[in-house]
Structures are given as structure tokens and as C-alpha cells.
Amino acid sequence: MAETRKLTDGQRFRSAGTRHGLVALALFLSWTAADSWYLATGLMLANLLSILTALVVGAWLASIIHEWGHFAGARLSKSYAPIVPDVRGIFMFGFNHGKNTRNQFLAMSLGGNVANWGLMLLVLMLIPIDNGGRAALLAMTFAKAVSVSLFEVPIMMRVMSGADSEQAIEDGLGNGSGDRGTVLGYVSGAAVWLLAA
């Protein structure tokens, strides 16, 4: 049996970037196809498909961008954050709480939040919000940014006040703040959609 060649971190980085980049491109193209169909025909079915596709695409793009934001924050702060050997889903790297400092954890955490709000601003600036599907894309990216911030900012605040980063995450997962953040994120996204559509 041949021994599997171990990939370097740089090779795993390129593999993860390629995989996530192709997924993001395919997602965005699926939404633009539905949006174009609606613009060309004005059909109600095309409008509905554009809205539904925008919700799915916005959620997945926000998740991918969020993970890369965390990764950028980790690497920019020189954290020990190796890319996992086989990236199959969204999660692509490990953050070692024991080997990294509090400031490195905060940089990693902040990166994910900045990435989500940056994506929402890009949608707002680059895409005219003049139909239901485009409003849905903005609404979903806004919802995900709110959701992430409501969960992660309190954790960051506790860590800034001296809490252990790993324990702060466990506390956040255990006290339901993630679920509350998700609900409030979707409610705020729905409000944005109603205002923008």
C-alpha cells in the first residue's frame, strides 16, 4: 500500500482556497442566473426562485467568508492555526487555545465579524437593491452578520475582561446565546428585506 504524501500547510491553504472559491463562485452564479431570468422575463416564478436562491447563497457565502475572516485574523496575529489536513466543509483550520495568546484569540474572533460586515457592505455597495431577490441577498448577509456578532462579541468581551477563551466559547454555546443570536439575526434580516424589497 502506497504511503499517502503529507501536504504542507501552503498546499492545504491552496486546496482550501480553491475548494471554497469554486463553491462561492458556483453559489453566486446560481443566484445571478435566477436574478437574470427574473430581469429578462419579469415572471413571478423567476422572482420567487431569485429570492429563494439569494437566501441560500447569502447564508453559504456569509459562512465561507466568516471562516476565512477568522483564518485571516488568526494568521495576521501570528497564531498557531494550522489548516486541517482535509477540508471538506466550511471549517478549515484549528485554533489552539493553549498555544495562542488572548490577543491572538481576539484577533481571530474579530476577523470573522469584520468579514461578515464587509460582505454585507459589499452587497450593499455593488448590487442595486431594486428587486426582491437582491433585497433577499442583502437581508441574508445582514442577518448572518448580526447573528455572528450577537454570539461572538460577548465572548470577545469576556475574554478581554480576563476569561479563558475556550471556556468563554463553551459558556456561550451553553447559555443559548448562539440560538438567540440566530433568531435575532433572522428577524433583523426579515426587517431589512421588508424595507428594501
Side-chain angles (χ1 to χ4, degrees):
M1 180 199 255
E3 184 179 326
T4 305
R5 186 172 65 92
K6 189 173 180 179
L7 298 177
T8 67
D9 190 69
Q11 290 169 322
R12 292 194 305 269
F13 172 82
R14 286 188 293 279
S15 176
T18 300
R19 182 183 300 268
H20 286 167
L22 289 173
V23 168
L25 180 62
L27 287 167
F28 192 70
L29 289 175
S30 69
W31 171 72
T32 58
D35 182 61
S36 297
W37 184 31
Y38 173 63
L39 292 176
T41 65
L43 292 172
M44 182 64 76
L45 177 61
N47 187 35
L48 179 62
L49 184 61
S50 175
I51 292 168
L52 293 175
T53 306
L55 295 174
V56 172
V57 168
W60 275 95
L61 284 179
S63 296
I64 292 170
I65 292 295
H66 179 74
E67 186 67 8
W68 278 88
H70 276 320
F71 178 72
R75 288 294 172 100
L76 287 172
S77 65
K78 309 256 189 280
S79 300
Y80 178 73
I83 296 178
V84 297
D86 188 17
V87 176
R88 294 200 177 269
I90 293 170
F91 299 106
M92 56 177 276
F93 75 100
F95 185 85
N96 189 306
H97 294 268
K99 291 185 177 181
N100 293 312
T101 67
R102 175 175 286 125
N103 285 340
Q104 287 171 320
F105 171 80
L106 292 171
M108 183 271 296
S109 297
L110 183 62
N113 284 272
V114 169
N116 278 113
W117 287 106
L119 175 64
M120 188 276 301
L121 288 173
L122 281 174
V123 170
L124 185 61
M125 291 187 304
L126 299 178
I127 298 174
I129 309 302
D130 55 5
N131 65 42
R134 293 173 177 193
L137 186 65
L138 175 65
M140 182 54 81
T141 58
F142 182 79
K144 295 297 270 186
V146 168
S147 175
V148 160
S149 292
L150 289 175
F151 176 65
E152 292 186 3
V153 169
I155 291 171
M156 293 167 61
M157 299 299 286
R158 287 196 292 275
V159 172
M160 286 173 70
S161 298
D164 175 73
S165 59
E166 205 163 9
Q167 187 60 52
I169 293 171
E170 289 299 320
D171 292 345
L173 291 170
N175 67 19
S177 62
D179 294 334
R180 284 191 299 277
T182 298
V183 170
L184 291 171
Y186 286 140
V187 168
S188 66
V192 166
W193 187 79
L194 289 171
L195 289 170

